[in-house]
Amino acid sequence: MSGQGSGGNVIAAICSFFIAGLGQLVQGRILAAIVFFLLTWVSYAMAATGILFFMALPGFIFHVWSIIDAARYKGSS
């Protein structure tokens, strides 16, 4: 992937739209992928209990952050 705005970053952002962290995994950033996946889905799981419904907002924020992070990744060139 050649950098920000490249086709690879668009694909990664689309992947992260469906599953948080998948775009980072596509880019080869394993640790970032694990962190985004866990932060997002743990927040969503807490919100699904009904008791901690307010955790849906942090889950949404982490999800959007993972999409933006995948789209703006510049690489190490």
Side-chain angles (χ1 to χ4, degrees):
M1 291 175 223
S2 59
Q4 184 176 351
S6 70
N9 283 1
V10 172
I11 302 263
I14 292 170
C15 289
S16 279
F17 176 79
F18 292 107
I19 299 175
L22 185 59
Q24 287 75 12
L25 191 62
V26 166
Q27 292 170 332
R29 301 186 298 147
I30 307 293
L31 184 60
I34 292 169
V35 169
F36 277 120
F37 181 81
L38 288 177
L39 285 174
T40 303
W41 294 106
V42 166
S43 295
Y44 284 157
M46 286 181 181
T49 63
I51 298 168
L52 300 172
F53 64 91
F54 59 87
M55 290 300 291
L57 181 61
F60 177 75
I61 291 169
F62 289 134
H63 202 151
V64 170
W65 185 10
S66 76
I67 296 167
I68 293 170
D69 179 67
R72 296 186 52 141
Y73 180 65
K74 293 183 183 177
S76 58
S77 49

